[in-house]
Amino acid sequence: MTRHAEKPFLYVIVCAAGVAADVSKLITAAQERNWEVGVIATPVAMNGFFDTAAVEAQTGRPIRSAWRTPADPRPFPPPDAVVVAPATFNTINKWAAGLADTLAVGTLCEASGLGVPIAVLPCVADALAAHPAYRDSLTRLRGMGVRFGPPFTGAAGAEFGWERALELIGR
């Protein structure tokens, strides 16, 4: 793990799923465990899937969703760990295939190559989870050392296990 001046830095990658509305639960849990947090969202997730203003206030940092220009300073330090929650079918498949067409997926591809610990909390409907490409993607990502929490399908009464992600990265 790379150590920063005071606290380790966690990237939280947020994808477009209904449970993203509660991403503040993950941020709170991480902050209680002494992490600094920066949020990177998929472009679709930025379109009303969570309260961006509240998350920016909670982290004290802007949410990143678009690539910066080479002249722009890096808004976050390098990550000590990354959590993808909720992780969608689309993001998981693009990441496993190395299709870095968004900042979120590009960040995951880079973190994987750097050996940064990554925890994933999938939020994928059963019908999509049955797709062979998805199963292949999980196998490939696990082979790269990515740690997965149990899948969440949104079944009635089920809770999304935000804190499980922190357990997967050892915090």
Side-chain angles (χ1 to χ4, degrees):
M1 241 192 234
T2 303
R3 292 290 173 192
H4 302 290
E6 295 184 25
K7 296 180 180 182
F9 202 88
L10 177 67
Y11 285 11
V12 173
I13 309 283
V14 181
C15 302
V19 296
D22 291 328
V23 71
S24 62
K25 292 179 181 180
L26 172 58
I27 296 165
T28 297
Q31 290 171 331
E32 288 172 351
R33 289 169 173 80
N34 206 37
W35 287 94
E36 287 288 330
V37 179
V39 174
I40 300 171
T42 63
V44 177
M46 291 293 290
N47 294 327
F49 279 84
F50 65 103
D51 186 338
T52 57
V55 165
E56 287 181 345
Q58 185 177 11
T59 63
R61 299 177 181 275
I63 296 167
R64 297 193 59 211
S65 183
W67 301 102
R68 66 179 179 82
T69 66
D72 292 335
R74 292 185 179 271
F76 300 159
D80 292 291
V82 178
V83 168
V84 190
T88 59
F89 176 85
N90 191 46
T91 294
I92 289 169
N93 286 324
K94 288 194 308 183
W95 175 22
L99 301 175
D101 65 339
T102 66
L103 177 61
V105 179
T107 298
L108 291 169
C109 290
E110 185 177 72
S112 300
L114 293 171
V116 174
I118 304 172
V120 179
L121 298 180
C123 185
V124 177
D126 289 340
L128 292 174
H131 194 285
Y134 179 72
R135 291 191 308 267
D136 291 347
S137 293
L138 294 179
T139 299
R140 173 174 270 179
L141 293 171
R142 283 185 179 114
M144 294 165 46
V146 175
R147 304 161 192 168
F148 283 85
F152 178 80
T153 60
E159 288 287 324
F160 192 74
W162 294 104
E163 291 189 33
R164 177 71 177 125
L166 299 174
E167 295 166 11
L168 291 168
I169 59 171
R171 294 289 293 234

